[in-house]
Amino acid sequence: MDKIQTSTAHTSEHVNTVLRTPQMILAFNYIRWYCYQVLPFHTRIGDFFEAVLRVRPVELRRTAIAFVYLFTAVGAFIVGRITRSVLFLEIPDYRNQLPLIYILIAVSVTVIMSVYARIERKLKRDRINALTLGIMIVITLVFHCLLTVRNHLTYWFFYLWAEIYGAFLIVQFWSLANEIFNARQAKRLFAIIGGGGVLANVVVGFAISGSVKQIGTENLTLVIIGLLLISLAAVILLGRSAKNELTLAHGKHSEHAISQDGAIRIWHNRHVRLIAIVVVLTYVVSTFVDYQYQVIIGDYIPLKDERSAFFGAFFGITGIAAAIIQFTLTAHILERFGILFALAMLPITMLTGSVSMLFISLIPALWSVSAVKGGENIFRYTVNDSTMQLLYLPLPVQLRSRAKTLIDGMLRPIAIGSTGIIMAILVGQFENLTGLQLGLALTPRELGWVVLLGLGLWLLFLFPLHREYLSSLLHTLKHRRLNFNEARFTVNDDATIKTLLIAINANDDEQVIHALELIRSLSPRVQASIQKDLLKLLHHKNDAVRVATLELLAETANHIYEINSLLQDKKPEVRCAAIKATCAILQQQSLDLVEPMLNDSALKVRAAAVAGLIRFGGLDGVLACATHLKSMFSSTIAGERQYAAWVLGEVGVQSFYQPLLPLFVDDDEQVRRAAIIAAGVLQAPRLIAPLIAQLANQRLAKAAATSLYTYGATISDDLAKVINDDAADIDMRVNACRVLARSGDKRGVELLIQHLTDKDVAMRSAAIASLRLLRNNDASLIIKSTSVNNAIRFEVKYAYTLLAIVEDLALDESSILLRDTFAHRIRTSNTRLFGLLSLKYRVDTIDLVSRNYFSMQAATRANAVEVLDNLLSTEDKSLAIPLLDDDAPLKKLAYAENLFAIERCDRHQRLLQLLNSNDQWLCICAMHAIYAWNMQQQQEKEMLVKLLNSSYELCRETALVALFNIGAVKELKQHLAFMLQDTSMIVQRYANYLQQQLQA
């Protein structure tokens, strides 16, 4: 093992040596330049989709399959609608029959959907979709045979069938999409996936228009079957690629079904009710428009195949317009204008068309109704459909699926059927249908008044729906923040116990381990009753199951004879668990059994034996393993020293802290980490200082902070000394602030307040975050508003100073490093400003404003600033609002001149200031800008020469690069000899490379 580690270290050192040669540095610089300059224009397909359509490479396959699925589903729906409409118009009395067909649609689809709703939870979403598609294919094939007879009754039933399978296709697709894509993916991808449905309008529409006269309208059913077969293949592929997501979603459905003992009462949810109202109004209006459209088409175009060609061309033309909107505008509309505007586009467009039909009589009825129907086709399956799917996302997953099935599947036919009854009354056909003398005699054009009324109600209900969507979204976010680890429960009922027994005897290893965890919640009496089943698991084929069983028996059992055999198990992990269980059960009597394990071939087993004997073996146990433990601490093998620290943590005796002290400065990081973890268990006061010192190491800081938390408020004074020490490592000071806040000591408040205006931005950020944490943990905590006000003014001035520097430097693409640095610092300054405001105002409100302010959408940012404008005091408003508003930087700086004395100067002076600053990263960025702009003034050269003596290795290297790139040959020749003796091998090699270049 030592040889392998040594070989690996030598190999790593050799690779690093090769990679840092001047030739390799230049090669890497060229590659980096190529990535920034060339790849955006000549990139792989995956990168193209990510850059243009925001589809990430890992999402590309799944998105493409979903796109094809929706394309074929909508295509089959379109072909079905064209076929059923054209054939139905062959019935002589189609005007009278249309209202009746709408009513029958309601009855048939509602019955079928209600049956479907009862069984759809039994199978995973991909399986129920595949089964349904298979049934659709078979029934459509039967209709293809029946339509050759050309019977009017067949036309009737095919019209019904087209509506039934159309309802299933779209509902099932979006139900599947909502389970395999999360909310963040949906916001990016649903607009792209929805384009499949839009594209289907174009391709299928023009294909039918150009070919229907050759193949005949009745044979379009074969096209439907072909499209459904492709949909079936897409479902199978999606089921395979999203297996985990679908299984998880199905599990949640099942859990809910078990806990609620029946159907979900979705109508008690106001969000669902409002969605339902809007959907009903959508279908009511669409049905009236559909009646107008079909009757006028039947009157104007007498021949069957010509009607099919007209329908196909209509779908193709509107599909092109819809495609342009879907692929170029839908996502931008949602992001820029929000959900309310997107939902209102469809009713407003239809409202415009209906008004033209009613009030501009010169326009032929065919043109007018085509405009209204065209507006529906263009926006309904693009902006409106994509946005409606987003409305379901805040709902719990178990509620979402049922709601979509009931609303989109059952309410749709009910709305259409009710509209059919109303329509029969309005057009004067109710008496013919029922024998009752009731009704009017409105023409298709006059029905536009009813359409106007429906559109008005539709727009009216969008406003409360938008408010409820935001409320549900906020509720969902809050719900996800719940700490489920705080849940405690005990199960004793027979059904649960039987379920657990089935689980621990299952073939699924993960299920068995999960069941073992749940057994801990059983009462001791119940645990005793299932001991025999537990003991069988000691001989389980899976190592993890045997380990979990031993851990459980160590807590609850006394079956030592069954455990003994596992002390010789072939897996070290199992032997370790068996040692722990043996020691825990037999206590001092375990010495004879465990002592031989001190010479085990596996280090972890030897360590487990030492820990077990010291902890449970009494004085004899301690004496038996003392020599072994001492040798582990003094070993030259890092792994043994690491396990030595682990042993002390397992023993947990505070007075045993002394051997840990040398391990805090061990050469091996994993040994130091083990010592840190053990110190958190021992909580010895002497270990506080070494733990605090580890906060300076970012790789170990989290572990050190976790251990320090266990000391509580006793470490406050030690932390305060570090925080107030300006000469201390900045990472140590920042992490000390965080630990102080977690300690819960209120004395730290005053200390942290003092650092709200610290000159170091990292300390300011840490002080703000720590005070927020203290305030969140203690609602009664009072922070002086005067101190916070001063800090707000200080931070605002700092942000304006950064803006002034950016304007003075006139940053462009050539100075991208400096530009990005200042952009990041302005953002973090604004973040600190929001943090300070949260110390004065409601935390949840400020956090919500902050998240929206950093949105990419201008409208969202403007809304966030508007909330602040109504929330802040006059003084805070005068400071924060002008800074956060989306005004031009020069306008902001002009306003800042009345508040602060902000220095302004030219680019040359600004660069000299940055080079002179103590901020090493800004020095590097400034040097990068100097050679990017090819600035060759003497002062810049002198500053670059000065930075050759920087204590920061990267600074010295960058100074060499800058001097070489601006052609400072004289200065380089004067200092290269010195740089060739630099303490850094990297700087030496680059200096050597430059010397060769100058000589050449």
Side-chain angles (χ1 to χ4, degrees):
M1 185 65 185
D2 292 339
K3 292 181 179 180
I4 295 174
Q5 291 176 343
T6 304
S7 175
T8 304
H10 286 316
T11 303
S12 176
E13 181 180 356
H14 176 69
V15 170
N16 288 330
T17 301
V18 173
L19 292 178
R20 298 305 300 182
T21 59
Q23 293 81 1
M24 292 303 295
I25 291 173
L26 286 178
F28 286 142
N29 286 336
Y30 175 78
I31 292 171
R32 182 175 61 182
W33 172 86
Y34 181 83
C35 290
Y36 276 103
Q37 303 296 328
V38 180
L39 283 182
F41 303 98
H42 306 85
T43 185
R44 299 180 294 108
I45 292 177
D47 293 335
F48 168 79
F49 278 101
E50 183 173 13
V52 177
L53 301 179
R54 297 188 301 167
V55 181
R56 296 169 184 168
V58 295
E59 303 164 342
L60 185 58
R61 181 174 182 272
R62 190 177 297 182
T63 304
I65 298 173
F67 181 93
V68 172
Y69 181 9
L70 186 59
F71 174 89
T72 53
V74 172
F77 179 61
I78 291 171
V79 178
R81 298 199 75 176
I82 292 174
T83 307
R84 56 91 166 164
S85 295
V86 170
L87 294 178
F88 194 83
L89 292 176
E90 289 296 296
I91 300 174
D93 196 19
Y94 62 83
R95 279 178 177 266
N96 295 339
Q97 303 294 327
L98 268 177
L100 179 60
I101 198 72
Y102 291 139
I103 297 170
L104 290 180
I105 286 171
V107 176
S108 57
V109 175
T110 301
V111 171
I112 294 174
M113 276 293 184
S114 63
V115 175
Y116 171 78
R118 294 178 179 274
I119 64 173
E120 58 102 12
R121 293 196 310 274
K122 306 298 182 183
L123 298 175
K124 288 198 300 183
R125 181 63 56 190
D126 59 321
R127 293 179 181 176
I128 191 67
N129 283 22
L131 178 63
T132 308
L133 284 168
I135 295 172
M136 291 179 190
I137 292 169
V138 172
I139 295 177
T140 306
L141 184 61
V142 172
F143 269 109
H144 172 71
C145 299
L146 294 176
L147 287 175
T148 56
V149 182
R150 299 188 179 183
N151 184 283
H152 290 171
L153 185 62
T154 306
Y155 296 163
W156 254 87
F157 283 107
F158 184 76
Y159 197 112
L160 289 175
W161 169 239
E163 288 297 321
I164 291 170
Y165 85 71
F168 272 96
L169 280 175
I170 308 304
V171 170
Q172 286 195 324
F173 170 80
W174 285 115
S175 296
L176 180 65
N178 274 318
E179 290 191 2
I180 66 177
F181 295 104
N182 60 44
R184 291 178 64 82
Q185 290 175 321
K187 197 70 177 283
R188 288 185 293 104
L189 303 179
F190 275 10
I192 305 301
I193 294 171
V198 177
L199 191 61
N201 283 270
V202 180
V203 176
V204 174
F206 282 124
I208 291 176
S209 178
S211 61
V212 68
K213 293 181 181 179
Q214 287 75 35
I215 65 175
T217 301
E218 289 82 357
N219 289 324
L220 290 178
T221 50
L222 294 175
V223 178
I224 298 173
I225 293 171
L227 292 170
L228 291 177
L229 285 170
I230 299 175
S231 294
L232 178 59
V235 168
I236 295 172
L237 292 175
L238 283 175
R240 292 175 180 174
S241 68
K243 183 178 179 180
N244 293 335
E245 291 89 342
L246 292 168
T247 302
L248 180 62
H250 179 64
K252 291 182 178 179
H253 300 324
S254 302
E255 290 171 8
H256 188 85
I258 292 172
S259 61
Q260 295 297 329
D261 295 324
I264 303 170
R265 303 171 66 185
I266 65 172
W267 303 120
H268 288 195
N269 187 295
R270 188 170 185 266
H271 187 169
V272 175
R273 291 200 304 272
L274 287 170
I275 293 177
I277 292 172
V278 170
V279 169
V280 166
L281 289 170
T282 302
Y283 284 116
V284 167
V285 172
S286 297
T287 303
F288 273 107
V289 171
D290 186 66
Y291 175 84
Q292 293 174 301
Y293 183 60
Q294 292 195 67
V295 169
I296 292 174
I297 292 290
D299 293 344
Y300 273 74
I301 305 175
L303 298 179
K304 176 178 62 177
D305 290 342
E306 288 184 358
R307 290 192 201 116
S308 296
F310 176 84
F311 277 122
F314 173 79
F315 278 110
I317 294 170
T318 56
I320 291 175
I324 294 172
I325 291 174
Q326 180 72 11
F327 290 113
T328 61
L329 296 178
T330 298
H332 296 290
I333 289 170
L334 281 170
E335 291 180 358
R336 184 172 181 82
F337 300 105
I339 284 180
L340 181 61
F341 181 86
L343 289 173
M345 291 185 70
L346 173 59
I348 289 175
T349 304
M350 296 180 70
L351 184 68
T352 304
S354 296
V355 168
S356 67
M357 180 186 293
L358 285 171
F359 298 105
I360 307 178
S361 57
L362 295 177
I363 300 178
L366 181 61
W367 291 14
S368 298
V369 76
S370 296
V372 179
K373 187 69 174 176
E376 180 190 1
N377 279 17
I378 290 171
F379 288 101
R380 184 169 177 184
Y381 300 109
T382 55
V383 178
N384 192 76
D385 209 4
S386 297
T387 309
M388 284 300 295
Q389 304 312 314
L390 292 176
L391 293 177
Y392 288 98
L393 290 177
L395 297 174
V397 65
Q398 67 270 18
L399 179 62
R400 184 191 310 157
S401 176
R402 293 280 293 164
K404 286 182 64 63
T405 301
L406 293 175
I407 292 175
D408 293 349
M410 296 184 67
L411 285 184
R412 172 181 179 271
I414 291 174
I416 293 174
S418 303
T419 306
I421 296 174
I422 298 171
M423 192 181 299
I425 297 173
L426 295 177
V427 300
Q429 303 303 326
F430 195 76
E431 183 177 353
N432 296 334
L433 297 175
T434 64
L436 299 175
Q437 295 183 356
L438 178 64
L440 304 174
L442 299 181
T443 64
R445 185 187 289 268
E446 291 170 339
L447 284 176
W449 293 105
V450 182
V451 173
L452 285 181
L453 176 62
L455 289 169
L457 292 172
W458 183 351
L459 286 167
L460 186 64
F461 275 99
L462 289 181
F463 292 95
L465 175 58
H466 179 247
R467 290 194 298 270
E468 191 62 30
Y469 166 79
L470 297 177
S471 176
S472 297
L473 191 60
L474 183 61
H475 174 76
T476 301
L477 293 174
K478 290 180 178 178
H479 181 71
R480 288 176 181 172
R481 295 193 193 105
L482 291 177
N483 183 6
F484 294 103
N485 291 326
E486 295 177 358
R488 297 288 185 269
F489 61 94
T490 301
V491 288
N492 290 302
D493 59 284
D494 293 336
T496 305
I497 294 169
K498 289 179 181 178
T499 303
L500 286 175
L501 286 174
I502 293 173
I504 64 176
N505 289 287
N507 294 324
D508 187 341
D509 296 339
E510 292 185 2
Q511 185 178 352
V512 175
I513 294 174
H514 181 62
L516 289 171
E517 289 295 324
L518 294 178
I519 287 173
R520 286 182 166 85
S521 64
L522 297 173
S523 65
R525 178 186 60 82
V526 178
Q527 288 182 6
S529 67
I530 61 173
Q531 286 295 318
K532 291 183 180 179
D533 295 273
L534 287 178
L535 295 177
K536 294 178 183 178
L537 297 178
L538 292 174
H539 307 288
H540 198 279
K541 62 181 180 179
N542 186 279
D543 308 332
V545 172
R546 298 201 300 278
V547 169
T549 306
L550 285 167
E551 291 175 349
L552 180 61
L553 292 175
E555 300 173 11
T556 61
N558 56 2
H559 295 273
I560 190 61
Y561 297 108
E562 288 81 358
I563 296 174
N564 284 350
S565 61
L566 296 178
L567 290 173
Q568 306 304 321
D569 195 278
K570 62 181 180 178
K571 292 295 183 179
E573 295 81 4
V574 179
R575 298 202 298 276
C576 289
I579 289 170
K580 183 176 181 180
T582 301
C583 292
I585 296 170
L586 293 182
Q587 298 288 316
Q588 296 180 11
Q589 298 177 13
S590 63
L591 180 60
D592 293 338
L593 291 172
V594 176
E595 188 174 10
M597 309 303 293
L598 293 172
N599 298 312
D600 193 275
S601 58
L603 174 58
K604 63 173 64 178
V605 176
R606 298 199 300 272
V610 171
L613 289 175
I614 293 177
R615 186 176 178 186
F616 301 105
L619 180 59
D620 290 339
V622 173
L623 294 174
C625 61
T627 304
H628 294 273
L629 181 59
K630 185 177 180 179
S631 65
M632 291 172 68
F633 273 107
S634 59
S635 174
T636 58
I637 302 174
E640 292 196 4
R641 300 195 302 276
Q642 180 181 344
Y643 271 108
W646 174 83
V647 167
L648 292 189
E650 280 289 295
V651 173
V653 178
Q654 190 179 85
S655 59
F656 285 9
Y657 74 87
Q658 193 69 33
L660 281 180
L661 292 174
L663 300 186
F664 280 101
V665 293
D666 195 279
D667 294 335
D668 189 271
E669 183 179 289
Q670 294 305 318
V671 174
R672 300 200 300 275
R673 184 183 300 276
I676 290 169
I677 296 172
V681 178
L682 299 182
Q683 298 180 23
R686 181 64 180 81
L687 298 177
I688 293 175
L691 279 174
I692 292 177
Q694 298 301 318
L695 294 175
N697 187 332
Q698 285 301 324
R699 294 168 63 88
L700 299 175
K702 184 176 181 181
T706 303
S707 292
L708 285 168
Y709 296 154
T710 63
Y711 285 81
T714 60
I715 58 173
S716 298
D717 294 336
D718 299 274
L719 293 171
K721 292 177 183 178
V722 175
I723 293 171
N724 287 326
D725 185 3
D726 293 339
D729 183 271
I730 186 60
D731 290 329
M732 186 191 300
R733 297 176 66 203
V734 167
N735 289 320
C737 288
R738 296 168 180 164
V739 176
L740 181 63
R742 289 288 296 271
S743 70
D745 190 351
K746 293 184 179 180
R747 293 177 297 172
V749 174
E750 290 298 326
L751 173 63
L752 293 170
I753 286 176
Q754 295 173 15
H755 292 278
L756 289 177
T757 55
D758 196 286
K759 63 181 180 180
D760 193 292
V761 293
M763 280 301 298
R764 296 208 300 274
S765 298
I768 293 169
S770 300
L771 284 171
R772 277 173 52 97
L773 181 58
L774 283 168
R775 190 182 180 195
N776 289 342
N777 293 337
D778 186 357
S780 64
L781 184 65
I782 298 176
I783 301 175
K784 293 181 181 178
S785 58
T786 305
S787 301
V788 178
N789 290 339
N790 293 336
I792 289 173
R793 188 174 185 86
F794 182 91
E795 196 60 54
V796 169
K797 181 179 179 180
Y798 175 78
Y800 277 125
T801 302
L802 293 176
L803 282 175
I805 295 173
V806 171
E807 289 300 308
D808 293 343
L809 289 171
L811 301 174
D812 53 24
E813 290 296 328
S814 62
S815 55
I816 187 171
L817 193 61
L818 198 57
R819 187 188 66 182
D820 289 351
T821 296
F822 277 106
H824 176 262
R825 296 198 175 194
I826 290 171
R827 180 184 176 91
T828 55
S829 177
N830 290 338
T831 301
R832 286 192 296 273
L833 176 57
F834 282 116
L836 290 168
L837 291 174
S838 70
L839 298 178
K840 291 185 63 176
Y841 304 92
R842 283 182 58 91
V843 174
D844 54 349
T845 302
I846 297 299
D847 284 349
L848 184 61
V849 170
S850 175
R851 288 193 298 272
N852 284 275
Y853 177 76
F854 291 114
S855 167
M856 297 298 293
Q857 307 169 31
T860 305
R861 294 196 302 273
N863 290 339
V865 175
E866 179 64 23
V867 173
L868 282 183
D869 201 11
N870 290 278
L871 175 67
L872 303 184
S873 66
T874 304
E875 181 183 358
D876 292 339
K877 189 186 304 183
S878 65
L879 291 169
I881 299 301
L883 174 66
L884 298 175
D885 224 338
D886 268 350
D887 290 329
L890 288 177
K891 183 178 179 181
K892 292 183 179 183
L893 290 173
Y895 176 82
E897 290 178 359
N898 299 324
L899 296 173
F900 312 106
I902 298 177
E903 177 189 3
R904 300 298 303 276
C905 51
D906 60 21
R907 173 187 281 183
H908 172 72
Q909 291 174 312
R910 282 295 187 197
L911 282 174
L912 291 178
Q913 290 175 3
L914 296 180
L915 292 173
N916 255 321
S917 71
N918 294 323
D919 191 321
Q920 301 290 347
W921 178 246
L922 278 183
C923 286
I924 293 169
C925 294
M927 286 188 281
H928 181 273
I930 285 173
Y931 72 75
W933 291 331
N934 196 26
M935 301 182 71
Q936 301 183 14
Q937 290 92 332
Q938 187 59 35
Q939 284 182 297
E940 275 87 352
K941 292 180 180 178
E942 291 175 357
M943 284 302 305
L944 291 175
V945 170
K946 180 180 177 181
L947 288 168
L948 291 175
N949 296 312
S950 171
S951 60
Y952 194 32
E953 175 185 315
L954 192 54
C955 249
R956 301 197 300 276
E957 183 183 358
T958 310
L960 279 173
V961 175
L963 285 168
F964 179 75
N965 278 277
I966 64 174
V969 177
K970 177 182 176 182
E971 288 77 5
L972 279 174
K973 287 182 176 180
Q974 291 175 350
H975 295 85
L976 270 180
F978 172 73
M979 300 307 295
L980 287 169
Q981 305 301 320
D982 195 273
T983 56
S984 167
M985 294 295 294
I986 297 173
V987 176
Q988 285 183 33
R989 287 170 183 158
Y990 197 75
N992 183 59
Y993 167 74
L994 293 181
Q995 187 179 54
Q996 294 174 8
Q997 293 295 313
L998 292 175
Q999 290 173 353

